[in-house]
Amino acid sequence: MQMNKNTAVGVVGATGYTGQEVLTLLEGHPGARLEFATSRSQAGEPTGIEGLVYSDPDMDRARDCDVVFLCLPHGKAVPWVESLLGRGGEAPRIIDLTADHRPGSGRESAAVYGLNEWYRDSVADAPLVANPGCYPTGMLLSLMPLFREGLVDPARLTVVNAASGVTGAGRAPRPDLLFAEVAGNFRAYGGGNRHRHLREVRSELGEVEILFQPHLLPVSRGILETIVLPVPEGIDADRIRGLWATRYRDEPAITVRESGLPELRDAVGTDRISLGVEDAADTRGPVCVLGVAFDNLGKGAAGQAVQNFNAIMKWPTELGIRC
Amino acid sequence: MQMNKNTAVGVVGATGYTGQEVLTLLEGHPGARLEFATSRSQAGEPTGIEGLVYSDPDMDRARDCDVVFLCLPHGKAVPWVESLLGRGGEAPRIIDLTADHRPGSGRESAAVYGLNEWYRDSVADAPLVANPGCYPTGMLLSLMPLFREGLVDPARLTVVNAASGVTGAGRAPRPDLLFAEVAGNFRAYGGGNRHRHLREVRSELGEVEILFQPHLLPVSRGILETIVLPVPEGIDADRIRGLWATRYRDEPAITVRESGLPELRDAVGTDRISLGVEDAADTRGPVCVLGVAFDNLGKGAAGQAVQNFNAIMKWPTELGIRC
Amino acid sequence: MQMNKNTAVGVVGATGYTGQEVLTLLEGHPGARLEFATSRSQAGEPTGIEGLVYSDPDMDRARDCDVVFLCLPHGKAVPWVESLLGRGGEAPRIIDLTADHRPGSGRESAAVYGLNEWYRDSVADAPLVANPGCYPTGMLLSLMPLFREGLVDPARLTVVNAASGVTGAGRAPRPDLLFAEVAGNFRAYGGGNRHRHLREVRSELGEVEILFQPHLLPVSRGILETIVLPVPEGIDADRIRGLWATRYRDEPAITVRESGLPELRDAVGTDRISLGVEDAADTRGPVCVLGVAFDNLGKGAAGQAVQNFNAIMKWPTELGIRC
Amino acid sequence: MQMNKNTAVGVVGATGYTGQEVLTLLEGHPGARLEFATSRSQAGEPTGIEGLVYSDPDMDRARDCDVVFLCLPHGKAVPWVESLLGRGGEAPRIIDLTADHRPGSGRESAAVYGLNEWYRDSVADAPLVANPGCYPTGMLLSLMPLFREGLVDPARLTVVNAASGVTGAGRAPRPDLLFAEVAGNFRAYGGGNRHRHLREVRSELGEVEILFQPHLLPVSRGILETIVLPVPEGIDADRIRGLWATRYRDEPAITVRESGLPELRDAVGTDRISLGVEDAADTRGPVCVLGVAFDNLGKGAAGQAVQNFNAIMKWPTELGIRC
């Protein structure tokens, strides 16, 4: 294991919220040596990291890296990927944090889906990793074991209620994201089960009967998902908790609560995800309520990206993350 | 219509968040003359209303009022009601904002349930009005017309996701309600469909298949309810919207949106409730998503109480409320 | 006194925070009839006021009004004023809420300065009223009586520490005003006593020895000014309080506290300003600490503008404001 | 240098905000082995640190430690100190985070004042270290070099405007610290230069002409101090910046900005303090404005305590802190 900050990494799109978080984690990562951090608007300005200023995008510098993190707006990763991987020869490994190559994007065949705790081994050999979306990370890590084991009632609707802090909407100035518009407010969005993250979830879970309703929270960071899950007769919270505990026993970035549902702040500022489950009273068929808490910029973006970086480098998954 | 602030009213428990809001509305009400506002802890201190200081609870002064508002902690209204109504003779009319006489409390037979837009006529003649709980107000005003008209699929689970500002939890100091515990946080509570407000809703809707999941928001005021409602074939958002529009056409405190779901701040600081509905895509059976926004202290408490006061006095329902 | 919403008023620039607040007050004002509310970006959309949609700016419609409120970005009021007043003949009265004609602007001779409680009589006859800036409103209402009566030590520095909610910075999207940038943050600005509001204050107080240090608060609305005021020997908080009480005895929009300093929320959402004063211990010469709280959009903008509107119409100053 | 988590440490009063922060830092400290964390109310419950539950206070366990951190309410440290140090023989070193032994407390002679960057050498040999108060830390680190070098005009008043997040007021439930009371609010306190932190500052700076005005911010963490400093002729911001830069050149926990004033969030969540200075325009005598930002729980409490722990152990000052 080489641990001397010798692996050359670069961050493309380093001034967005995701890019900033990736930069923070890589600066503290014992194996990474930051070669560049691109920003068109702030080129030449200090990054806050000693010896590193933002630089203009430069494909040649990217080519010289071992691993490149793409933290661009959705849609902007495609030309970088084509240019870096299309040449043949020695190419850097790419971790794409945009939606461009995720399941359901139409370009997913070019990438390995970086849901780390499930596809870590494939990530290890992939030229291109599609880092999961924030909401899907929570839905999939909680629901995949249950769907795979048949702990979900397929005839009844699973309702995923989710709420995210505003950094999930990015850093480009929008009138509806101004402080005075968000403070003291709370609102649903997504247009009636039409959020694009659904296709990513469905690609993994199958054509499940799911309703996903996101909301915007007046907080900077964090996602809480409260999932109303109809289960088959005989299944209960203990069974689900047990399944999670078994499946994720050796996963340092996943916490399974012994009781109750997690709060947002259990996870904000970390790269962990916290799972909890309760039985619901007074329903005709059995229903469980699942709670999932994580930081949209941590486990929901940069933290998982660093886990994928560690997978590529054959390092322990917790290296350089906050868990 | 007498409109000269000649109706003598008193507020019992005036320093809690609900009591404060009732006081504020009554001060501005053209028909109410505030006789007293009780507070054990702040007796003798100014209320902020000219000429009115908080006073110790005094049953005799209450007896001399036309209408008494009980804004006490849950459980504390019973002795007041017994004492005020138990004597025979002339008694003040009582509007009880606690849970003590609401449907499902075991004492509901003593009171008329003050869901104003539905039971206004009975309220007009009732000695005792049980003012609805905050969450039930939103659930019932949105769902009652649909249940009554058969616009709900009885075999499928209705999921009510709700989030409330912290004033809903009252003003008694609790460690978990300190600023530093709530700011930046978000959490589910209610223990798996076990919130006591459910019995109030079930008493009205019947033994419905409903899952109610409340959350605590990092805001001071306001409730948003996002309801996932499976509907029978052929029913859609337009139909629901039309039903609401017809039922609530002449109701100044209820707004039916022409499209989309309401935001919290559409209603915070007012005594209105705002209703919206959307069709959900990609579900096996048809599903609608309902959005309900109101102020837990406004329409969810003091505003509705003042509407009930107006009903008692045979005044227009919007008198003295913010709509 | 005509009180039938017969006075024709228009609002130019109605979608900014100030314009919205002016609209809200005028809608509820018993003497005002809203003729138009301009917005280039939202022309044709509903204003939220029944029967009124935003319209494109139109000088002719403005000319037909009795009173026009200019709620534009700073610098944009000049052409409106020139066009409306430059023609001769019948012109509407103008209340300019921008900085364009305030003292120190270079164009102050064309306007009467609308510091209502001091210049109300001149406002009554003025074709053009320059509505004061938000910070100066607080500084001047608290300090003017003291400077005029010699209750300030001219040889020692008066320090005005101020903090404002973010609506003071306007509604145009700026990256530094995004929720995630402001929440949990607090910062000084103004560049070392170089804030442009100073010239407005100095024009009124004279070339005073003053240091003004504004800060940006993580709240939507409100200004708190804490003023460290060296006073001559023999002067103390009681004397200042007494002077304020006398000077402002009949002013409904000014509250003088009997003790202690006001909090932000004493004034947020109102058109009042609240003044308080304390003696400072352990200083070589006597020092008082003044506290001033008001809503930057209320008394600091729209509320004072409506008071000036009332002055023009010879109506009571409190008509249609929240005090 | 022993670096194997072999130094036995204990935390007395571990569930307050300060105690929690000390616990967090010690858990991650490469030299500390946490022996116990006391809490009367939560004895037996998990601390969140693997293998450590809260325990009842136990003087004997404290005696067996190398270093004990006292994170108690003010006034409660005295009996611990007397018991631990009063016996003679081998005693643990004590870092007292309460005000009980700070300069001006009347008990300061028993302790070395732990203003780390100034008294580190004395701390190294002290049986008892009085960790500085949060506000004084910012005032002293910024002002001490200037007072000592005569860069302050002694005849003119220095005004320290400060604002703190609510964790500075502790975790005991108080009605005025509830979320709904603090959110959207801002208020001055301290009663006219009577805050007890002043005696701590005066003990260090001498009987200086200073006015200290604290405020309560609607944020969880962080202190911003904006200091209006009259300086002698010829002194300016460059000179102050240069003096700081020289004095603090090798101090990893102190950042001197090259220009402008720091924001709260430059320091929140870290154990750094950030200093900035600007020249003020348009004052009769020269005035500088100093800006100081730090986390009240970080550099203002736990971070500085760990620096003092490092001084005792002769370890580098940055060991285990976030800078």
Side-chain angles (χ1 to χ4, degrees):
Chain A
M1 195 194 298
Q2 66 97 306
M3 270 303 78
N4 291 306
K5 292 188 91 61
N6 285 335
T7 303
V9 299
V11 179
V12 179
T15 52
Y17 288 124
T18 298
Q20 289 284 298
E21 198 77 4
V22 168
L23 224 49
T24 297
L25 289 182
L26 292 178
E27 181 194 7
H29 194 288
R33 189 179 70 240
L34 267 165
E35 293 293 318
F36 66 83
T38 78
S39 167
R40 283 183 199 282
S41 60
Q42 297 185 36
E45 294 180 29
T47 60
I49 295 174
E50 205 176 321
L52 188 71
V53 296
Y54 293 114
S55 54
D56 273 314
D58 178 338
M59 204 63 77
D60 289 332
R61 291 186 72 184
R63 256 183 219 107
D64 289 341
C65 282
D66 297 303
V67 181
V68 172
F69 294 79
L70 301 179
C71 305
L72 295 158
H74 298 310
K76 304 285 187 186
V78 175
W80 280 87
V81 168
E82 286 175 353
S83 174
L84 289 174
L85 299 187
R87 295 269 196 103
E90 193 77 15
R93 309 285 287 274
I94 302 176
I95 298 173
D96 177 12
L97 287 92
T98 77
D100 294 2
H101 300 89
R102 291 181 192 153
S105 67
R107 278 180 296 266
E108 61 267 38
S109 62
V112 164
Y113 186 46
L115 189 71
N116 187 272
E117 281 81 4
W118 288 81
Y119 304 125
R120 188 178 288 153
D121 293 344
S122 306
V123 164
D125 302 316
L128 173 63
V129 179
N131 212 58
C134 52
Y135 286 123
T137 296
M139 286 190 256
L140 292 173
L141 291 179
S142 59
L143 292 175
M144 265 178 63
L146 315 184
F147 273 77
R148 300 224 167 164
E149 295 291 324
L151 269 56
V152 177
D153 184 339
R156 291 152 75 207
L157 181 66
T158 294
V159 176
V160 179
N161 283 278
S164 173
V166 291
T167 51
R171 199 173 193 171
R174 272 167 42 186
D176 63 327
L177 300 181
L178 290 176
F179 181 89
E181 308 296 312
V182 173
N185 200 9
F186 184 57
R187 62 182 169 90
Y189 66 101
N193 217 27
R194 288 173 177 85
H195 195 285
R196 68 181 153 66
H197 278 169
L198 267 169
R199 61 187 188 194
E200 188 175 336
V201 171
R202 289 209 174 97
S203 295
E204 291 297 308
L205 295 185
E207 284 302 313
V208 299
E209 178 75 345
I210 200 164
L211 191 138
F212 168 56
Q213 180 57 61
H215 297 76
L216 185 70
L217 271 177
V219 306
S220 294
R221 304 168 66 130
I223 285 179
L224 192 83
E225 294 175 351
T226 308
I227 305 177
V228 177
L229 184 79
V231 289
E233 286 296 334
I235 304 300
D236 62 7
D238 283 343
R239 178 73 190 283
I240 289 174
R241 199 180 293 115
L243 184 63
W244 283 341
T246 306
R247 178 63 182 81
Y248 296 134
R249 177 177 298 125
D250 300 319
E251 292 297 348
I254 302 183
T255 301
V256 178
R257 291 176 62 93
E258 288 176 28
S259 66
L261 306 183
E263 308 187 11
L264 198 66
R265 65 169 176 176
D266 291 341
V268 168
T270 80
D271 299 303
R272 275 192 311 269
I273 193 165
S274 183
L275 307 179
V277 57
E278 290 178 339
D279 291 303
D282 292 324
T283 55
R284 218 164 292 159
V287 172
C288 288
V289 178
L290 281 50
V292 184
F294 58 106
D295 191 319
N296 55 301
L297 298 177
K299 181 66 175 170
Q304 189 159 216
V306 169
Q307 288 186 275
N308 286 326
F309 171 51
N310 292 336
I312 289 170
M313 303 305 297
K314 319 281 190 294
W315 291 330
T317 196
E318 68 269 27
L319 203 70
I321 65 169
R322 300 156 298 190
C323 66
Chain B
M1 192 194 302
Q2 66 97 305
M3 269 306 75
N4 292 307
K5 293 189 91 60
N6 285 335
T7 303
V9 299
V11 179
V12 179
T15 51
Y17 289 124
T18 298
Q20 289 285 299
E21 198 77 5
V22 168
L23 224 50
T24 297
L25 289 181
L26 292 179
E27 182 194 8
H29 194 288
R33 188 180 72 242
L34 267 165
E35 293 293 317
F36 66 83
T38 78
S39 167
R40 282 183 201 281
S41 59
Q42 298 185 35
E45 294 180 29
T47 60
I49 296 174
E50 204 176 321
L52 188 70
V53 296
Y54 293 113
S55 54
D56 273 313
D58 178 337
M59 204 63 76
D60 289 332
R61 291 185 73 182
R63 257 184 218 105
D64 291 340
C65 282
D66 296 304
V67 181
V68 172
F69 294 79
L70 301 180
C71 305
L72 295 158
H74 299 310
K76 304 285 187 187
V78 175
W80 280 86
V81 168
E82 287 174 353
S83 174
L84 290 173
L85 300 186
R87 295 270 196 103
E90 192 77 14
R93 308 285 288 275
I94 302 176
I95 298 172
D96 177 11
L97 288 92
T98 78
D100 294 1
H101 300 89
R102 290 181 193 152
S105 67
R107 279 179 295 267
E108 60 268 38
S109 61
V112 164
Y113 186 47
L115 189 71
N116 188 271
E117 282 80 5
W118 288 80
Y119 304 125
R120 187 178 289 154
D121 292 344
S122 307
V123 164
D125 301 317
L128 173 62
V129 179
N131 213 57
C134 52
Y135 286 123
T137 295
M139 285 189 256
L140 292 174
L141 290 179
S142 59
L143 292 176
M144 264 177 64
L146 315 184
F147 273 77
R148 300 224 166 164
E149 295 291 324
L151 268 56
V152 177
D153 184 338
R156 291 150 75 205
L157 181 67
T158 294
V159 176
V160 179
N161 283 277
S164 174
V166 290
T167 51
R171 200 172 191 171
R174 272 168 41 187
D176 63 327
L177 300 180
L178 290 176
F179 181 89
E181 308 296 311
V182 172
N185 199 10
F186 185 58
R187 61 182 169 91
Y189 66 102
N193 216 28
R194 288 171 177 86
H195 195 285
R196 69 182 152 68
H197 277 168
L198 267 169
R199 60 187 188 192
E200 188 176 335
V201 171
R202 288 209 175 98
S203 295
E204 291 299 307
L205 295 184
E207 285 302 312
V208 299
E209 177 76 345
I210 200 163
L211 191 137
F212 168 55
Q213 180 57 62
H215 297 76
L216 186 70
L217 271 177
V219 307
S220 293
R221 304 168 65 129
I223 286 180
L224 192 81
E225 295 175 351
T226 308
I227 304 177
V228 177
L229 185 79
V231 289
E233 286 296 335
I235 304 301
D236 62 6
D238 284 342
R239 179 74 190 283
I240 290 174
R241 199 180 293 114
L243 183 63
W244 282 341
T246 304
R247 178 64 183 80
Y248 296 133
R249 177 177 298 124
D250 299 320
E251 292 296 348
I254 302 183
T255 302
V256 178
R257 292 175 60 93
E258 288 177 28
S259 66
L261 306 182
E263 309 187 11
L264 198 67
R265 65 169 175 176
D266 291 341
V268 168
T270 80
D271 299 303
R272 273 194 311 269
I273 193 165
S274 184
L275 308 178
V277 58
E278 290 179 339
D279 291 303
D282 292 323
T283 55
R284 218 164 291 158
V287 172
C288 287
V289 177
L290 281 52
V292 183
F294 58 106
D295 191 320
N296 55 302
L297 298 178
K299 181 65 174 170
Q304 189 159 217
V306 169
Q307 288 187 276
N308 287 326
F309 171 51
N310 292 335
I312 288 171
M313 303 305 297
K314 317 284 191 293
W315 291 331
T317 197
E318 68 270 26
L319 203 70
I321 65 169
R322 301 155 297 190
C323 65
Chain C
M1 194 195 299
Q2 65 97 306
M3 266 308 73
N4 292 306
K5 292 188 91 59
N6 285 334
T7 303
V9 299
V11 179
V12 179
T15 51
Y17 289 123
T18 298
Q20 289 285 297
E21 198 77 5
V22 168
L23 224 50
T24 298
L25 289 182
L26 292 178
E27 182 194 7
H29 194 288
R33 189 180 70 242
L34 268 165
E35 293 293 317
F36 66 84
T38 78
S39 167
R40 283 183 200 282
S41 59
Q42 298 185 37
E45 294 181 29
T47 60
I49 295 173
E50 204 175 321
L52 187 71
V53 296
Y54 293 113
S55 54
D56 273 314
D58 178 337
M59 202 64 77
D60 290 331
R61 290 185 73 183
R63 253 181 223 109
D64 290 340
C65 283
D66 297 304
V67 180
V68 172
F69 294 79
L70 301 180
C71 305
L72 295 158
H74 299 310
K76 303 286 187 186
V78 175
W80 280 86
V81 169
E82 286 175 354
S83 174
L84 289 173
L85 299 186
R87 293 273 195 101
E90 193 77 13
R93 308 285 286 274
I94 303 176
I95 298 173
D96 176 12
L97 287 93
T98 76
D100 294 3
H101 300 89
R102 290 181 192 152
S105 67
R107 278 180 297 266
E108 60 267 38
S109 61
V112 163
Y113 186 47
L115 189 71
N116 186 272
E117 281 81 2
W118 288 81
Y119 304 125
R120 189 179 286 152
D121 293 344
S122 307
V123 164
D125 302 316
L128 173 63
V129 179
N131 212 57
C134 52
Y135 285 124
T137 295
M139 285 190 256
L140 292 173
L141 290 180
S142 59
L143 293 176
M144 264 179 62
L146 314 185
F147 274 78
R148 298 222 169 165
E149 295 291 323
L151 269 56
V152 178
D153 184 339
R156 292 151 75 205
L157 180 66
T158 294
V159 175
V160 179
N161 282 278
S164 175
V166 290
T167 51
R171 201 172 191 171
R174 272 168 41 187
D176 63 327
L177 299 181
L178 290 176
F179 181 89
E181 308 295 312
V182 172
N185 200 9
F186 184 59
R187 62 181 167 90
Y189 65 101
N193 216 27
R194 289 173 176 84
H195 195 285
R196 69 182 152 67
H197 277 169
L198 266 169
R199 61 187 187 193
E200 189 176 335
V201 171
R202 289 210 174 97
S203 296
E204 291 298 307
L205 295 185
E207 284 303 313
V208 300
E209 178 76 345
I210 201 164
L211 191 138
F212 168 55
Q213 180 57 61
H215 297 77
L216 186 71
L217 272 176
V219 307
S220 293
R221 304 168 65 129
I223 285 179
L224 192 82
E225 295 174 351
T226 308
I227 304 177
V228 177
L229 185 79
V231 289
E233 285 297 333
I235 303 301
D236 62 8
D238 283 342
R239 177 74 189 282
I240 290 174
R241 199 180 293 114
L243 183 63
W244 282 340
T246 305
R247 177 64 184 79
Y248 296 133
R249 176 177 299 126
D250 300 320
E251 292 297 347
I254 302 184
T255 301
V256 178
R257 292 175 61 93
E258 288 177 28
S259 66
L261 307 182
E263 307 187 12
L264 198 66
R265 66 169 175 177
D266 292 341
V268 168
T270 81
D271 299 304
R272 275 193 311 270
I273 194 166
S274 184
L275 308 179
V277 57
E278 290 179 339
D279 292 301
D282 292 324
T283 54
R284 217 164 292 159
V287 172
C288 288
V289 177
L290 280 52
V292 183
F294 58 106
D295 191 320
N296 56 302
L297 298 177
K299 181 66 175 171
Q304 189 158 216
V306 170
Q307 287 186 277
N308 286 326
F309 171 51
N310 291 336
I312 288 171
M313 303 305 297
K314 317 283 190 296
W315 290 332
T317 197
E318 68 271 26
L319 204 70
I321 65 169
R322 301 155 297 189
C323 66
Chain D
M1 196 194 300
Q2 66 97 303
M3 270 306 76
N4 291 307
K5 292 188 92 58
N6 285 334
T7 302
V9 299
V11 179
V12 179
T15 52
Y17 289 124
T18 298
Q20 289 285 298
E21 198 77 4
V22 168
L23 224 49
T24 298
L25 289 182
L26 291 178
E27 182 194 7
H29 194 288
R33 188 179 72 241
L34 267 164
E35 293 293 318
F36 67 83
T38 79
S39 167
R40 282 182 200 281
S41 59
Q42 299 185 36
E45 294 180 29
T47 61
I49 296 174
E50 204 175 322
L52 188 71
V53 296
Y54 294 113
S55 54
D56 273 314
D58 179 337
M59 203 63 76
D60 289 332
R61 290 186 73 183
R63 256 182 220 109
D64 290 340
C65 283
D66 296 304
V67 181
V68 172
F69 294 79
L70 301 180
C71 305
L72 295 158
H74 299 310
K76 303 285 188 187
V78 175
W80 280 86
V81 168
E82 286 175 353
S83 174
L84 289 173
L85 300 187
R87 295 271 194 103
E90 192 78 13
R93 309 286 287 273
I94 302 176
I95 298 173
D96 177 11
L97 287 93
T98 77
D100 293 3
H101 300 89
R102 289 181 192 152
S105 67
R107 280 180 296 267
E108 61 266 39
S109 61
V112 163
Y113 187 47
L115 189 72
N116 187 271
E117 281 81 3
W118 288 81
Y119 304 125
R120 188 179 287 152
D121 291 345
S122 307
V123 164
D125 301 317
L128 173 62
V129 179
N131 212 57
C134 52
Y135 286 124
T137 296
M139 285 190 255
L140 292 173
L141 290 180
S142 58
L143 292 176
M144 264 178 61
L146 314 185
F147 273 78
R148 298 224 168 164
E149 295 290 322
L151 268 57
V152 177
D153 184 338
R156 291 151 76 205
L157 181 65
T158 294
V159 176
V160 179
N161 283 279
S164 174
V166 290
T167 51
R171 202 171 191 173
R174 272 168 41 187
D176 63 326
L177 301 180
L178 290 176
F179 181 89
E181 307 296 312
V182 172
N185 199 9
F186 185 58
R187 61 180 169 91
Y189 66 101
N193 216 28
R194 290 172 177 84
H195 195 286
R196 69 181 152 67
H197 277 169
L198 266 169
R199 61 188 187 192
E200 189 176 335
V201 171
R202 288 209 174 99
S203 296
E204 290 298 308
L205 295 185
E207 285 303 312
V208 299
E209 178 75 347
I210 201 164
L211 191 138
F212 168 55
Q213 181 57 61
H215 297 76
L216 186 71
L217 271 176
V219 306
S220 293
R221 303 168 66 130
I223 286 180
L224 193 81
E225 295 174 351
T226 308
I227 304 177
V228 177
L229 184 79
V231 289
E233 285 297 334
I235 303 301
D236 63 7
D238 283 343
R239 178 71 189 285
I240 290 173
R241 199 180 293 113
L243 183 62
W244 282 341
T246 305
R247 177 63 183 79
Y248 297 134
R249 177 176 299 124
D250 300 320
E251 292 297 347
I254 303 183
T255 301
V256 178
R257 291 176 62 94
E258 287 176 29
S259 66
L261 306 182
E263 307 186 13
L264 198 67
R265 65 169 176 178
D266 291 341
V268 168
T270 80
D271 299 304
R272 275 194 310 269
I273 193 166
S274 183
L275 308 178
V277 57
E278 290 178 339
D279 292 303
D282 292 325
T283 54
R284 218 165 292 157
V287 172
C288 287
V289 177
L290 280 51
V292 183
F294 59 106
D295 191 319
N296 55 302
L297 298 178
K299 181 64 175 172
Q304 189 159 215
V306 170
Q307 287 187 277
N308 287 325
F309 170 51
N310 291 335
I312 289 170
M313 302 306 297
K314 318 283 191 296
W315 291 332
T317 198
E318 68 271 26
L319 203 70
I321 65 169
R322 300 155 298 189
C323 64

